[in-house]
Amino acid sequence: MEYDEEGHWQDNPGTASVYTKALRELIQSFVDKFTVDTDRIIIGGCSNGGYMTMNMVLQYPDVFAAAYPICEAYKDSGITDKQLEGIRNLPIWFTYAQNDTVVPPADYEAPTIERLRAINPNLRTSVFADVHDTSGLYTNEDGTPYQYQGHWSWFYFFNNECVDDTTGENLWAWLGKQHK
């Protein structure tokens, strides 16, 4: 999320990272070195990685077949309508918890999702009220599921529990279907 050469990141107003070009070059060097189906390059990440996911698709909208930002930290106020137009057809699946205090959804993904819903038919979401144990292994003393910090919504992704709120589709299955 560093947006200047001084290393500032915590107050990023929604601007591109100083690492944008370097990450794009890294991806391209991988594509050049190995056999890669360039119609199936998918990008995703959690928190700062979710920020970089959005950063990369906003800067290079034609490179990726799909994106899955999780608790993404790219401020909606920094995303222009022109940038959203560039990803109007990109399949994107957002995952976050409503009680995330590290990356408050009202400043980040919620308004971006609202804006994208109007133009992107390939938008999916998994929105959770909170992040709690679903395995049954971790409980509070009273037997209720242990509740984690709301920012940790990647638990649901890695536990294969992300299901689109509207379609009922599973995220991992959805990822396998994506291509340009």
Side-chain angles (χ1 to χ4, degrees):
M1 288 175 46
E2 289 182 26
Y3 62 93
D4 62 26
E5 296 302 326
E6 285 78 48
H8 295 107
W9 64 275
Q10 286 184 312
D11 60 344
N12 188 320
T15 59
S17 168
V18 295
Y19 302 112
T20 304
K21 184 178 179 212
L23 182 55
R24 176 65 184 109
E25 290 171 355
L26 176 66
I27 293 168
Q28 190 59 52
S29 70
F30 190 89
V31 168
D32 292 344
K33 186 173 182 175
F34 300 99
T35 303
V36 173
D37 182 348
T38 56
D39 287 339
R40 295 183 63 87
I41 298 173
I42 297 171
I43 191 167
C46 314
S47 190
N48 190 6
Y51 158 85
M52 191 56 95
T53 297
M54 290 303 294
N55 179 57
M56 294 301 288
V57 300
L58 293 170
Q59 304 304 318
Y60 305 104
D62 298 328
V63 171
F64 304 99
Y68 61 99
I70 302 167
C71 57
E72 63 92 355
Y74 202 107
K75 261 200 178 154
D76 179 70
S77 59
I79 301 173
T80 67
D81 289 341
K82 183 178 179 183
Q83 286 175 309
L84 289 184
E85 276 296 319
I87 60 172
R88 75 175 299 128
N89 294 311
L90 180 70
I92 304 174
W93 191 308
F94 288 88
T95 299
Y96 70 92
Q98 293 171 329
N99 71 336
D100 186 341
T101 57
V102 176
V103 180
D107 296 330
Y108 296 90
E109 53 274 275
T112 303
I113 290 167
E114 185 176 329
R115 292 168 64 198
L116 277 170
R117 277 198 206 280
I119 62 170
N120 186 332
N122 301 308
L123 181 68
R124 303 284 184 272
T125 60
S126 288
V127 179
F128 299 91
D130 59 33
V131 180
H132 61 272
D133 181 71
T134 57
S135 70
L137 296 174
Y138 306 101
T139 60
N140 296 311
E141 288 183 20
D142 65 0
T144 59
Y146 182 80
Q147 186 167 334
Y148 300 97
Q149 208 289 350
H151 188 57
W152 297 5
S153 56
W154 53 80
F155 280 20
Y156 295 116
F157 171 78
F158 288 112
N159 286 333
N160 195 26
E161 296 175 294
C162 291
V163 175
D164 180 63
D165 297 335
T166 305
T167 67
E169 189 171 24
N170 174 284
L171 173 58
W172 285 96
W174 177 87
L175 283 171
K177 297 177 191 173
Q178 302 310 308
H179 59 83
K180 288 189 201 174

